Amino acid sequence: MSASMKAQARKNFISKYGSLVALVVLCIIITIIKPRFISPLNIRNVLRLASINGLLAIGMTFVCLTGGIDLSVGAVMGCAGMYSAYFAQASMNMPWIVAVLVGLLMGFAVGLFNGICIAYLKVPAFVGTLGSMSVAKGLTYILTNAKPIPNLSESFKAIGGGMIFNVIPIPIIVFTIILIGCFLLMYKTRYGRYVIAVGGNAKAARVSGIDVKKITASVYILSGILAALAGIITTARVTSGVTNTGDGYETDAIAMVVIGGTSLAGGKGRLWGTIVGILLMVCLSNGLDMLGVSAYYQMIVKGFVVIAAVMMDGLSSD
């Protein structure tokens, strides 16, 4: 085998399995330093956190596969959480499903707005979702004049804090169902092939009969709905509606997707890689917490991780 072929094989291996190797190495290092990292209680906590971040990252994966980006997911998460909390107040005596549907409707509305702006009005994804991020934040503050919403109903709080058989947290169950559904959507339906085709070459996809505008708009709607679901679960878990819920989550979501091997240029990526990216970022955050690293220093670490992930994405595309 020639040197160039060996280099290409090494590059392909790193591109495909690099994040998985990094996850394994990270877990081994943290476990050596802090053995309780692999305790059942901590593993459950990691998976619970991963389930919330994972909803954002799955939606972001579909968006990035089309060559787009969604900067509004954190704001949508907070907006949906607040509006669902408003209708979940115990004093309103409404079924929990009403609060959930209101939150999901907010996510759908912002996602539809993004989709129309980007797919039909030709607004660049970065600018369009940056604008909708501001809109979503404004809607959040207007609802209660930036005040928190306490006293949520017990049935609603169970969405974020409840457990099945006192063992498996409900957020993990919800995430698992969504993940399976998105895997089937991506790899077992025509829609998934269309998403990748649009990201790979939009002009060729259009010539082959794919409605590029509809596919592009649909991924932003999916991203908005999943971000809203993450916000609803988070709000239920913290037992009150807080206006800053979701702040900064868009950065984590993008990092998880890129670390998992999805290209920001579109047309290349895999959901299982996103799962690895989710676990890597959550384990890193959890490990730094165990080591007593300040949240401010963690922001710096995460920033470098994002830069490194995007850098690797650029190098792998050369």
Side-chain angles (χ1 to χ4, degrees):
M1 184 181 290
S2 65
S4 61
M5 290 177 67
K6 288 182 179 179
Q8 185 61 43
R10 194 182 307 115
K11 185 177 179 180
N12 291 338
F13 178 84
I14 294 174
S15 176
K16 194 170 184 179
Y17 300 109
S19 57
L20 181 59
V21 173
L23 174 61
V24 172
V25 171
L26 175 66
C27 290
I28 291 173
I29 292 173
I30 298 175
T31 301
I32 292 173
I33 300 173
K34 292 287 184 180
R36 63 189 178 92
F37 175 75
I38 57 172
S39 66
L41 184 62
N42 189 61
I43 290 175
R44 187 170 69 185
N45 184 47
V46 167
L47 293 177
R48 192 200 300 263
L49 291 173
S51 65
I52 295 172
N53 288 277
L55 291 170
L56 297 177
I58 289 175
M60 189 70 75
T61 300
F62 278 83
V63 171
C64 289
L65 280 171
T66 64
I69 195 166
D70 190 352
L71 299 179
S72 68
V73 291
V76 171
M77 184 178 171
C79 182
M82 282 295 286
Y83 276 82
S84 62
Y86 183 84
F87 287 91
Q89 295 177 87
S91 59
M92 297 194 73
N93 198 29
M94 285 190 174
W96 63 269
I97 191 64
V98 173
V100 170
L101 290 175
V102 169
L104 293 177
L105 182 61
M106 295 301 296
F108 173 83
V110 177
L112 179 62
F113 176 77
N114 285 335
I116 291 173
C117 287
I118 295 163
Y120 293 93
L121 302 181
K122 304 301 180 182
V123 177
F126 183 90
V127 176
T129 58
L130 188 64
S132 63
M133 176 176 72
S134 181
V135 171
K137 282 183 176 292
L139 291 172
T140 302
Y141 295 137
I142 286 172
L143 180 64
T144 61
N145 199 24
K147 295 177 182 178
I149 302 176
N151 303 319
L152 306 184
S153 67
E154 293 299 322
S155 58
F156 180 79
K157 288 189 289 186
I159 298 171
M163 292 193 184
I164 303 296
F165 306 120
N166 275 338
V167 177
I168 307 175
I170 289 177
I172 296 177
I173 299 294
V174 173
F175 173 70
T176 302
I177 294 171
I178 295 295
L179 179 61
I180 292 172
C182 286
F183 258 101
L184 294 175
L185 185 64
M186 176 63 70
Y187 299 111
K188 298 296 182 181
T189 68
R190 189 179 301 172
Y191 175 80
R193 294 192 294 273
Y194 286 177
V195 168
I196 296 173
V198 168
N201 191 323
K203 289 183 178 179
R206 189 177 296 109
V207 170
S208 65
I210 298 173
D211 192 329
V212 173
K213 291 181 179 180
K214 282 187 178 179
I215 295 296
T216 302
S218 69
V219 296
Y220 286 95
I221 293 173
L222 177 62
S223 179
I225 291 173
L226 292 181
L229 182 58
I232 292 166
I233 293 173
T234 301
T235 299
R237 187 183 173 209
V238 300
T239 69
S240 66
V242 185
T243 53
N244 64 355
T245 297
D247 284 1
Y249 273 67
E250 62 279 351
T251 305
D252 287 350
I254 294 169
M256 292 168 184
V257 171
V258 178
I259 288 171
T262 297
S263 173
L264 291 176
K268 173 189 168 187
R270 48 195 179 270
L271 275 178
W272 76 262
T274 296
I275 302 307
V276 174
I278 293 165
L279 292 174
L280 182 60
M281 288 294 288
V282 173
C283 287
L284 175 63
S285 180
N286 182 260
L288 291 174
D289 283 338
M290 283 190 162
L291 295 173
V293 178
S294 166
Y296 306 127
Y297 286 105
Q298 289 190 37
M299 292 173 68
I300 296 174
V301 172
K302 287 181 179 179
F304 278 114
V305 169
V306 173
I307 294 170
V310 175
M311 180 183 68
M312 291 301 294
D313 174 46
L315 292 174
S316 65
S317 62
D318 290 340

